[in-house]
Structure formats: structure tokens, C-alpha cells
Amino acid sequence: MRVLFTVFAAKPHFYNLVPMAWALRAAGHEVRVASQPDLMEAVTRTGLTGVPVGDELNLSNSFATGGSRGAEGSGATWQRLSGVTETRAEKLTWDYVLGTFTIGCSMEYEHMADQTMLDDLVHFARSWQPDLVVWDALTLVGPIAARACGAAHARMLFGLDYASRMWGTYQRFLAEQPPERRDDPVADWLTGRLSRYGLTHEPDLATEMMTGQWTIDPTPSWMQLPLEVPRTPVRYVPFNGPTAVPDWVLEKPSRPRVCLSLGMSGRELLGGDKVSVAGGASTEVSFHELLVTLAGLDIELVATLSADQLAALPALPDNVRTVEFVPLNELLPSCAAIIHHGGFGTVGNVLAHGVPNLTIPAPWWDEADLGRCIAARGAGLFLDPDEVTPEALRDGLRRLLEEPSFLTGARQVREELLATPSPAEVVREVEELTRRHRR
């Protein structure tokens, strides 16, 4: 069969799809990956075939103040994006939920994948005629293109399924409203987009248009939200991008090796790695102070920093190794612990290798909840950004290295992950679901 993957131009989101795409390709299916032109180099470097659609997204520029697609600054943009993660009962009013989807339909979905991208995607889908469209959970052009060409479609998660949870809350609130207050921006948005291609919005299909005919879910079962969503569980398989492994990674360290990694998303979106100190998110930890404090322990510290940060660093202790990038999948087997930002890709690598870890959550999506889940399983520690100081990080790291319960918890989580079907093992189920759902 033919399978079309689609994702907005962000490498972390694309890399999440690569193992599933290659599993289908290795099983003999034709695979294409459609995204904005600025992702095409990353796509083709994985050996997959790319389809450029729409204009360049320039995500890092558009999330900066004064960027071409937005001038309000990265903080405000991601505050909007994270509105769907709200759980506090006092906040979840009809006005709040209605506002979340109103902004989503008018700004967020259009920002990630605009009309030009959708036009090109529908044109390609109707020409190539895929049997299945697999879409990244923030790339809502996928189900529309699938409807336009009659393909089945599956959403692939990149973390916790906040979108389905908020969608369920929206539907419940909407049904409770009197007719005169029953505004439905999602129906209006779907109607407008579908009608452009001669299609009619069918209210009974709204849920599958927003959350997929089914969901391919690489989130471990103990992290998943309690939702009634048709899912195909799949093991998270780390993919860190095309890269070479430095020689030093393969050398056995003479003392416990610790990784400090703040992930790819911060560099992709904001141009650098950031950690906030206790007392306010606007003040950042001095990386030099942080590295020197951690290096006071008897460890080998491997810190991944941006090129600008590396160039600006003063001299560091001999037991600190700074690098711009190193693949976590290759580094973590030699690590005794890792300090990280809680991004789904980093967490997947950490769980796959059973490494005790300390999470300082970034504010993008589910980083805080993922970190709390890991801590609840006894596989690591969670440190709220308001509590971050170099000394607090050092003390948490010392606990990870000295208390054996964290290694026990991390290894148990790894065993559970390995028991989940791999991408290759779920191909047959994907084939069957495609036959069932395609029109």
C-alpha cells in the first residue's frame, strides 16, 4: 500500500515519525513524507522520499519577536499552544475551552500548516492516491487531505494526548449550551477547509478529523491519559537524526558519566538552550556556574550546548566535556544519569536505556507531566523550574548516583518499554486498520 506521512517543519516532530515510516517501508510499502520545503533536507537525509508542500515555515524565525509569521514573541506563542494542556477545574469553563479552540482554528493550526501547504498536500494526495495518511498530532492538514483522496488516516502522538482530552471537554461543554450560545469554531473551520475541495463537513466525523480514525501511540501505557481513544500502542524507538558517533563515546569512562541535555526543541524554536533559576522564569542560570557546580561531584559531565554558548564559555574543570551535539541513543548506554528538559524525544531515549534522570521541564507541551510520571515510578527526580539552582541540581544528581532505587526503577521501566510491540510488529495491525477505514 501507499502511505503518506505529513508533519510541519520541525525536526523533533519528524524524527518521532521516522521509525514507523521505515518499518512500513521495510515491509514493502511505498512511503512519502510531506512537509514544508525547509524540512526536506532532514527528510531525505533519513533515506525517505520527501514531498515539499506549501511555503517555508521558518519556525525559529516565526516564533521570535518580529518574525514573519508572528510578532508577539515566543513566550506568547507557546502559551497559546499550551492552553490545551490545562487541567485545573476552575479554569476549564466553557469560555476558556471555547477560546482555546477559537484560537486554535484561527491561529495555531493555520500557523503550523497553512492554506498553501494544505492546497499542495491535497493536490499531491489526489494525484498519488495513498491508502493511508499518518499525521503528526499538530499537523491537522493530514485528515483533511485524507478525506480529499479517500485514504484512511491515523494520528501519531509525540507525547501525552492533551488534544483528545480537551476535545472531549469541548464536546461535553458544547452539548450543554443553549442553542443561542452553541458557537462551534471547529465546525466552521472544518467546513471552510473541506468546502475548498468540494467536500462537505459531516458533524459525525468531527472527532476523527480532530483526533484521527485511530491513534498510533508511542507513549508508555503508564504515562497515557485515561481516554477512550482507539490506539495502536507502539514502542518508542529512539531516532536522533543522521549522525556519526564520536570515538570518545565508545570509551569506558573512568568515573560515572553524566549527561546534561536540554534537547533539540529549544534550539529549533528559540535558537538556544535555556534553564530558569529559582525566583522567576525570566532569569536564566549561568551555564558556566551550573557546569562548575555539577563538576564538583566526582563525575565526567557531558554537556550539550549550542555553538554560541560553547563559544562564550570561560575555562571549565577538566571533568567537563562540552559538545554541540551527540546522539543520546549512543551516549546514554555509558551514562549513570542524565539531567534533561523533559521533551518527549529525550524522555524516549532515557526510558529506552534505563538511565536514572532528573527533569527540569521546559514549558512547551507535556514536559512537566512526563517528568512527574518518571518520578512517580521511582526512575528519576523532578525539579520544578521555580526551585532550580545549581546547588539543587547538584544535590539531585548526587541522589541519582548514590541511591540504587533510581537505577532499579529505571531498569524496570525499560523492561516494560521493551515488552511493547515495535514499529515492525505493528505493521500488520496498521495494514488491517487501513483496509477497514479507507474509502
Side-chain angles (χ1 to χ4, degrees), residues 5-19:
F5 284 76
T6 188
V7 57
F8 70 101
K11 283 193 285 188
H13 284 251
F14 166 58
Y15 287 172
N16 180 57
L17 305 177
V18 169

Side-chain angles (χ1 to χ4, degrees), residues 374-403:
I374 294 171
R377 286 297 307 267
L381 294 170
F382 176 85
L383 192 59
D384 190 279
D386 288 338
E387 301 170 355
V388 172
T389 64
E391 292 74 23
L393 286 175
R394 178 196 59 205
D395 294 344
L397 177 58
R398 181 184 286 117
R399 286 191 61 196
L400 292 181
L401 297 173
E402 294 180 356
E403 298 179 25

Side-chain angles (χ1 to χ4, degrees), residues 120-304:
D120 289 353
L121 186 66
V122 169
H123 178 75
F124 175 77
R126 283 178 163 172
S127 173
W128 194 57
Q129 286 293 302
D131 301 283
L132 171 65
V133 175
V134 179
W135 47 284
D136 164 80
L138 282 182
T139 312
L140 287 168
V141 292
I144 296 170
R147 274 285 303 277
C149 70
H153 64 92
R155 180 182 57 139
M156 186 155 182
L157 295 182
F158 56 84
L160 299 184
D161 196 1
Y162 295 132
S164 288
R165 184 177 63 187
M166 187 62 79
W167 173 247
T169 303
Y170 174 78
Q171 288 185 302
R172 176 170 56 82
F173 275 131
L174 182 63
E176 294 172 354
Q177 302 309 305
E180 65 273 13
R181 290 203 63 198
R182 204 166 290 169
D183 296 329
D184 191 350
V186 175
D188 295 341
W189 179 74
L190 288 171
T191 297
R193 283 204 154 189
L194 290 167
S195 64
R196 187 176 178 90
Y197 312 108
L199 304 169
T200 302
H201 170 54
E202 300 175 35
D204 291 345
L205 298 181
T207 293
E208 77 168 44
M209 295 298 291
M210 297 302 291
T211 64
Q213 291 174 324
W214 80 95
T215 294
I216 301 172
D217 193 350
T219 313
S221 59
W222 50 275
M223 285 182 167
Q224 292 170 2
L225 302 175
L227 300 167
E228 294 183 4
V229 176
R231 9 172 143 246
T232 297
V234 64
R235 184 192 315 161
Y236 181 86
V237 175
F239 179 76
N240 304 150
T243 185
V245 182
D247 290 342
W248 62 264
V249 170
L250 305 177
E251 299 171 1
K252 185 176 180 180
S254 59
R255 44 188 157 183
R257 178 175 285 169
V258 175
C259 176
L260 170 65
S261 172
L262 301 179
M264 186 182 296
S265 295
R267 299 186 193 183
E268 287 285 305
L269 302 176
L270 303 177
D273 302 314
K274 300 178 185 298
V275 177
S276 298
V277 298
S282 62
T283 306
E284 294 170 18
V285 168
S286 158
F287 275 108
H288 183 261
E289 179 186 1
L290 173 60
L291 296 175
V292 169
T293 302
L294 293 176
L297 301 175
D298 186 23
I299 61 173
E300 175 193 327
L301 180 63
V302 179
T304 60

Side-chain angles (χ1 to χ4, degrees), residues 93-128:
T93 63
W94 168 236
D95 287 341
Y96 178 90
V97 176
L98 176 62
T100 296
F101 281 96
T102 300
I103 293 173
C105 292
S106 62
M107 300 179 71
E108 294 168 11
Y109 312 152
E110 299 291 335
H111 180 91
M112 298 298 186
D114 64 12
Q115 190 66 64
T116 304
M117 178 181 180
L118 178 56
D119 285 345
D120 289 353
L121 186 66
V122 169
H123 178 75
F124 175 77
R126 283 178 163 172
S127 173
W128 194 57

